Amino acid sequence: MKDDYHKTHFDEHRSKINSIAVIHELIYKSKNLTQINLKNYINEISFNLQEVYQSDARRIEISTNIEEVVIELDIALPLGLIVNEVITNSFKHAFKGKTPGKISISLKKIFDKIQLQISDNGKSTILEDRHEGSIGMDILEGPVEQINAKHSFKNTEGTIFLLEFSSII
């Protein structure tokens, strides 16, 4: 790519495609073709995004605390797109002028509900950046609806994304 604008768009699309490709890779390695382990899936997505957005000048650590939870593929694909979008947003916006940074991902199952939290310690920009003409985090609405989830954002010492959904469709 000759300029940063096109390189950024290319990287964003590549990361979305990688999120989908990770599912296929994990399915092929699995004995079960209808379910996927979220720990492996989210770790792969976050690793791939770190490879795309990391540079020597900008060190951003990703830490995970993800329980071993197995879900149906019908939930996994939209969830992967959600995880990809939120982490991408942190890399792109939260750490402008701030380094090093940290993105934390936690996932736990409580009875038949799954709770996902993705947070960063960067600038709290997610709520302020939503303006007309920007699709930004609006991309999340489709996949969130698809898995009948509830989600919210909080701006604190960074941004916190919370998602809760049923482990059963």
Side-chain angles (χ1 to χ4, degrees):
M1 304 292 146
K2 292 184 179 183
D3 59 47
D4 287 340
Y5 175 80
H6 288 97
K7 181 182 182 324
T8 299
H9 278 63
F10 178 79
D11 287 342
E12 287 175 22
H13 293 300
R14 180 174 67 169
S15 69
K16 288 177 178 76
I17 292 167
N18 279 343
S19 294
I20 296 168
V22 167
I23 271 191
H24 291 92
E25 183 179 336
L26 292 173
I27 290 170
Y28 291 132
K29 291 179 181 176
S30 170
K31 294 177 183 173
N32 186 334
L33 301 179
T34 61
Q35 297 178 325
I36 195 158
N37 181 312
L38 280 181
K39 184 173 187 168
N40 297 340
Y41 185 42
I42 293 172
N43 281 333
E44 272 298 312
I45 291 171
S46 60
F47 175 78
N48 288 339
L49 287 169
Q50 196 165 23
E51 294 253 313
V52 168
Y53 291 103
Q54 196 74 276
S55 70
D56 289 336
R58 206 174 98 152
R59 302 305 308 163
I60 299 169
E61 173 191 349
I62 296 181
S63 67
T64 61
N65 181 14
I66 302 170
E67 290 182 5
E68 296 280 343
V69 176
V70 176
I71 62 169
E72 301 295 320
L73 288 176
D74 292 346
I75 299 172
L77 183 56
L79 182 64
L81 294 173
I82 292 167
V83 168
N84 183 83
E85 195 62 36
V86 173
I87 295 172
T88 295
N89 190 73
S90 287
F91 272 111
K92 286 175 54 181
H93 303 291
F95 302 107
K96 286 183 180 176
K98 179 180 177 162
T99 191
K102 184 174 182 179
I103 298 171
S104 299
I105 306 166
S106 68
L107 182 129
K108 60 186 171 184
K109 185 173 181 181
I110 303 170
F111 302 110
D112 69 336
K113 297 283 185 196
I114 297 174
Q115 293 178 343
L116 170 70
Q117 178 175 310
I118 302 173
S119 60
D120 65 57
N121 67 347
K123 295 186 331 183
S124 298
T125 60
I126 196 101
L127 300 177
E128 293 86 10
D129 282 352
R130 299 183 93 172
H131 59 278
E132 195 170 326
S134 170
I135 58 172
M137 299 310 282
D138 293 337
I139 291 172
L140 290 178
E141 297 303 322
V144 167
E145 283 180 24
Q146 192 174 350
I147 61 174
N148 298 317
K150 294 178 184 174
H151 74 291
S152 64
F153 290 97
K154 292 181 185 178
N155 281 344
T156 58
E157 307 259 331
T159 301
I160 300 172
F161 171 77
L162 301 165
L163 182 78
E164 184 176 280
F165 60 98
S166 175
S167 60
I168 304 164
I169 289 186

